[in-house]
């Protein structure tokens, strides 16, 4: 079986359990949100394909996770670790570069183009399209008789939730703005006008309001009743809006045929972050964050992973095998009968998809680098003034790492606001999915926790695995070798502010 067309969709910020067809709703049940999901269009591809229900990203924010997705490697190989300041290593190849050698026409359709280009994650793509699904369809039709690979990054689910970068109709974003105005009034938040004289939305003011709402909900401990439901409803809206229109256009133009393989996934999820899992906070007062990028808790690093083709009839439509987004590139290459690179961290999932063969037990890795929105804002201001990315580092550090194997998950916290001491925690994520009981707490009382020998063995094994992914001295230097003009840096600053990643 060799496919001629690969459609690889990455829906930014999509939780693993946010599809209505997802079998595991335990995390949502905790907040009484297990019946909100209504995603018939994404569910369609699960019903005819396979959903990996225990797929993990390599990082809880966009650049490093997509680098892993598109190279089949973890951060210690592809070199993108903090949010900014590093570029993709020349030692690895992107899926674009590999497929170019196989005479594929490679397309990158990107909603957050500046972030991807700044980190050189799109290296090798022959055509880049920004926020225009119609142009994507036109190009796919034009290349219909050629071997084609499309990587499409979609940002509609990303905060502020419910807005579309390519709205399916004229009223789509207008409804969102009216809802947002009403929300601000209900929360008694000062409303700076975000409409120009022609009623056109001033996006900078809208995002400023979005940040006000986010901070208000955090500080008043109401993110669980305001932000979380808004996020899930935004997913439902996206499924019936932009995603539905995209799928219908693909079908209408016979672009989902027997020669097409579709991969649907995400770079990370979004979740209520427990206070003790945060690296730093604005104050020492309790806050309730609904966010990503902070930590390696299950709800953030687990993502949906769907493989679908009209020519595939999986025996089962769900598997709970633990897999990673580094497996996407090897799987696509295996379906295309292209030899694998020997440096891949990922493996092919083809046999699981076609024959429901269980995966061999192996280690899965993820990490979280901390960045402070305000600190990153100041860093970009310095960059704008100097005309290039400064050589001095902004406030970023490797906050958490995790390795998973079988039922056990080791979490290493490397630095916090109060301490540089390394702290390890060990969880049985099958029995304790909320990571509430650290098995290492019983290390002095092994006779009360059986079988202690198994726990101790797993801990030592996972510690040894963790060292494989440590930061090299070269990467610690963080060379900031991406140089941009003042105009380009200003544009990057505006884009990151629009996404809520920095505070202006």
């Amino acid at each position: 079986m060799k496919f001629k067309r690969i459609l690889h969709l990455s829906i930014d910020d999509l939780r693993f359990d946010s599809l209505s067809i997802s079998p595991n709703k335990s995390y949502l049940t905790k907040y009484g949100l297990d019946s909100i999901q209504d995603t018939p269009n994404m569910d369609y591809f699960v019903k005819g394909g396979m959903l990996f229900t225990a797929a993990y990203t390599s990082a809880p924010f966009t650049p490093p996770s997509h680098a892993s997705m598109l190279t089949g490697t973890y951060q210690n190989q592809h070199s993108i670790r903090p949010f900014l300041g590093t570029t993709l290593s020349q030692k690895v190849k992107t899926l674009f570069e590999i497929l170019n050698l196989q005479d594929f026409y490679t397309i990158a359709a990107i909603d957050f183009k500046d972030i991807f280009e700044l980190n050189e994650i799109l290296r090798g793509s022959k055509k880049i399209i920004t926020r225009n699904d119609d142009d994507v369809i036109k190009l796919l039709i034009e290349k219909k008789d050629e071997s084609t690979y499309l990587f499409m990054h979609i940002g509609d689910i990303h905060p502020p939730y419910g807005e579309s970068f390519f709205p399916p109709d004229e009223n789509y974003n207008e409804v969102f703005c009216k809802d947002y105005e009403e929300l601000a009034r209900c929360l008694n938040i000062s409303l700076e006008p975000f409409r120009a004289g022609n009623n056109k939305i001033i996006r900078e003011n809208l995002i400023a309001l979005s940040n006000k709402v986010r901070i208000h909900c955090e500080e008043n401990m109401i993110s669980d009743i305001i932000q979380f439901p808004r996020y899930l409803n935004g997913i439902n809206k996206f499924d019936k809006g932009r995603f539905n229109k995209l799928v219908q256009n693909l079908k209408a133009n016979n672009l989902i045929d027997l020669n097409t393989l579709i991969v649907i996934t995400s770079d990370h999820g979004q979740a209520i972050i427990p206070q003790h899992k945060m690296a730093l906070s604005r104050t020492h007062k309790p806050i309730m964050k609904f966010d990503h990028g902070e930590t390696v808790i299950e709800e953030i690093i687990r993502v949906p992973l769907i493989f679908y083709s009209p020519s595939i009839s999986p025996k089962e439509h769900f598997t709970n095998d633990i897999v990673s987004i580094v497996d996407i590139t090897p799987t696509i290459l295996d379906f295309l009968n292209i030899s694998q690179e020997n440096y891949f961290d990922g493996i092919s999932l083809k046999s699981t998809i076609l024959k429901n063969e269980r995966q061999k037990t192996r280690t899965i890795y993820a990490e979280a680098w901390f960045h402070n929105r305000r600190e990153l804002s100041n860093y970009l201001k310095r960059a704008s003034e100097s005309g290039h990315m400064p050589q001095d580092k902004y406030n970023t550090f490797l906050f958490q790492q995790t390795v998973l194997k079988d039922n056990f998950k080791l979490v290493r916290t490397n630095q916090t606001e109060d301490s540089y001491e390394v702290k390890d925690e060990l969880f049985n994520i099958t029995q304790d999915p909320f990571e509430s009981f650290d098995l290492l707490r019983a290390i002095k009382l092994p006779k009360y926790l059986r079988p202690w020998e198994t726990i101790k063995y797993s801990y030592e094994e996972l510690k040894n695995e963790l060292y494989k992914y440590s930061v090299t001295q070269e990467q610690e230097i963080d060379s900031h070798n991406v140089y941009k003009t003042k105009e380009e840096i200003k544009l990057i600053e505006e884009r990151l502010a629009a996404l809520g990643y920095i505070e202006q």
Side-chain angles (χ1 to χ4, degrees):
M1 180 183 302
K2 185 175 180 180
F3 293 104
K4 193 170 184 178
R5 184 180 302 109
I6 309 292
L7 306 180
H8 176 184
L9 311 182
S10 177
I11 303 170
D12 200 299
D13 209 16
L14 184 66
R15 281 175 63 110
F16 84 99
D17 54 1
S18 58
L19 308 186
S20 45
I21 200 170
S22 299
N24 183 350
K25 302 293 185 185
S26 58
Y27 297 98
L28 297 176
T29 300
K30 177 181 177 181
Y31 296 95
L33 300 173
D34 51 343
S35 59
I36 289 181
Q37 299 74 38
D38 186 15
T39 56
N41 294 291
M42 284 187 277
D43 292 351
Y44 168 85
F45 293 103
V46 178
K47 292 175 182 177
M50 174 168 278
L51 170 65
F52 288 82
T53 62
Y56 286 82
T57 185
S58 66
F61 51 89
T62 301
S65 53
H66 278 103
S68 291
M69 191 186 301
L70 290 168
T71 66
T73 65
Y74 289 121
Q75 288 87 324
N76 63 318
Q77 291 211 68
H78 65 60
S79 296
I80 297 181
R81 307 194 89 143
F83 192 86
L84 285 180
T86 52
T87 56
L88 196 66
S89 170
Q90 293 295 329
K91 296 178 182 178
V92 299
K93 295 178 182 177
T94 66
L95 189 51
F96 301 111
E97 292 174 310
I98 296 171
L99 293 181
N100 285 343
L101 297 175
Q102 304 294 323
D103 295 324
F104 269 73
Y105 188 84
T106 55
I107 308 165
I110 309 295
D111 279 354
F112 303 168
K113 176 174 175 283
D114 304 285
I115 295 175
F116 279 78
E117 288 193 326
L118 188 63
N119 293 282
E120 298 186 1
I121 301 171
L122 305 180
R123 193 175 68 205
S125 56
K126 292 181 178 177
K127 177 69 174 180
I128 297 177
I129 298 172
T130 306
R131 300 178 181 178
N132 194 319
D133 298 1
D134 288 346
D135 283 354
V136 171
I137 298 295
K138 289 176 184 176
L139 186 55
L140 288 175
I141 294 172
E142 179 185 328
K143 301 295 181 180
K144 199 169 186 177
D145 296 328
E146 299 180 32
S147 295
T148 308
Y149 168 68
L150 166 69
F151 170 70
M152 188 171 188
H153 167 266
I154 302 173
D156 286 29
I157 292 170
H158 198 279
Y161 322 125
E163 182 191 30
S164 179
F165 288 101
F166 192 78
D169 58 68
E170 293 181 358
N171 198 44
Y172 191 92
N173 285 345
E174 180 64 26
V175 171
F176 163 78
C177 289
K178 288 180 179 178
D179 288 344
Y180 223 162
E181 287 175 318
E182 182 60 29
L183 173 62
R185 293 189 185 95
C186 289
L187 297 176
N188 294 316
I189 294 174
S190 58
L191 188 67
E192 184 175 351
F194 54 78
R195 297 178 191 274
N198 58 0
N199 209 35
K200 186 178 180 180
I201 296 168
I202 305 171
R203 183 160 177 77
E204 293 80 3
N205 292 355
L206 176 62
I207 295 302
L209 176 62
S210 170
N211 283 327
K212 282 185 180 181
V213 170
R214 173 180 58 80
I215 293 170
H216 177 91
C217 290
E218 288 176 358
E219 294 179 343
N220 288 276
M221 307 289 283
I222 55 173
S223 294
D224 53 346
I225 60 174
I226 301 292
Q227 295 290 69
F228 207 160
R230 286 185 59 244
Y231 163 78
L232 292 172
N233 283 318
I235 293 173
N236 297 342
K237 183 181 178 184
F238 162 75
D239 181 87
K240 301 181 188 70
R242 180 182 180 181
F243 186 76
N244 175 59
K245 184 176 181 180
L246 174 66
V247 171
Q248 296 309 317
N249 282 338
L250 288 169
K251 289 181 177 179
N253 289 284
N254 297 315
L255 294 169
I256 305 180
D257 57 17
L258 294 173
N259 293 314
T260 303
L261 175 67
I262 296 178
V263 183
I264 301 174
T265 190
S266 183
D267 55 347
H268 56 76
Q270 186 90 347
I272 299 292
I273 302 174
Q275 188 88 17
H276 66 282
K277 297 290 186 181
M278 300 177 192
L280 301 168
S281 60
R282 286 184 298 276
T283 71
H284 288 282
K285 296 179 181 178
I287 61 173
M288 179 185 283
K289 283 191 174 184
F290 181 68
D291 212 337
H292 61 271
E294 284 263 352
T295 179
V296 293
I297 60 172
E298 291 287 288
E299 293 175 81
I300 292 181
I301 65 171
R302 283 180 66 174
V303 294
L305 178 56
I306 304 167
F307 288 88
Y308 169 88
S309 174
S311 60
I312 293 177
S313 299
K315 294 181 179 180
E316 302 289 340
H317 297 294
F318 303 93
T319 177
N320 60 2
D321 283 0
I322 295 178
V323 300
S324 169
I325 58 171
V326 298
D327 300 330
I328 293 174
T329 287
T331 303
I332 290 174
L333 295 180
D334 197 8
F335 271 115
L336 296 174
N337 299 325
I338 298 172
S339 60
Q340 308 288 302
E341 299 286 349
N342 58 16
Y343 60 77
F344 282 158
D345 292 308
I347 63 172
S348 174
L349 307 176
K350 180 179 175 181
S351 61
T352 302
I353 298 166
L354 296 181
K355 303 175 184 177
N356 201 34
E357 292 182 2
R358 299 303 302 268
Q359 293 293 321
K360 294 180 180 178
T361 300
R362 64 189 177 113
T363 303
I364 299 298
Y365 176 77
E367 66 181 36
W369 281 69
F370 168 79
H371 82 258
N372 178 279
R373 284 181 171 91
R374 191 162 297 167
E375 175 67 21
L376 189 54
S377 302
N378 293 333
Y379 172 76
L380 285 170
K381 283 182 173 64
R382 298 200 306 273
S384 181
E385 290 168 0
S386 62
H388 63 81
M389 295 297 174
Q391 295 296 313
D392 60 310
K393 298 180 182 180
Y394 63 93
N395 182 19
T396 183
F397 54 85
L398 182 57
F399 172 49
Q400 282 188 331
Q401 297 169 281
T402 185
V403 283
L404 300 97
K405 189 174 183 180
D406 294 325
N407 299 326
F408 291 104
K409 177 180 182 180
L410 172 62
V411 177
R412 172 163 292 175
T413 300
N414 295 291
Q415 183 177 338
T416 66
E417 185 174 19
D418 302 315
S419 173
Y420 287 87
E421 180 183 358
V422 173
K423 178 185 178 182
D424 285 349
E425 298 171 285
L426 184 68
F427 304 101
N428 185 320
I429 54 174
T430 301
Q431 298 176 358
D432 177 26
F434 294 98
E435 301 165 80
S436 58
F437 180 69
D438 175 16
L439 293 170
L440 299 182
R441 289 173 56 196
I443 196 166
K444 295 180 180 178
L445 300 169
K447 68 179 181 180
Y448 293 105
L449 189 64
R450 299 293 184 187
W452 172 249
E453 292 77 13
T454 301
I455 294 170
K456 186 176 181 180
Y457 174 81
S458 295
Y459 176 47
E460 294 299 328
E461 184 183 25
L462 290 176
K463 275 202 303 182
N464 290 332
E465 289 289 328
L466 192 63
Y467 292 130
K468 295 179 182 179
Y469 309 104
S470 60
V471 183
T472 67
Q473 185 176 2
E474 179 184 356
Q475 290 167 330
E476 284 178 343
I477 294 173
D478 193 16
S479 61
H480 297 286
N481 58 351
V482 185
Y483 291 90
K484 295 283 183 178
T485 65
K486 289 185 178 182
E487 291 74 18
E488 288 176 312
I489 293 171
K490 182 65 176 175
L491 183 61
I492 291 166
E493 188 179 3
E494 291 173 355
R495 292 285 189 268
L496 292 179
L499 297 170
Y501 279 119
I502 65 174
E503 294 176 0
Q504 291 185 312

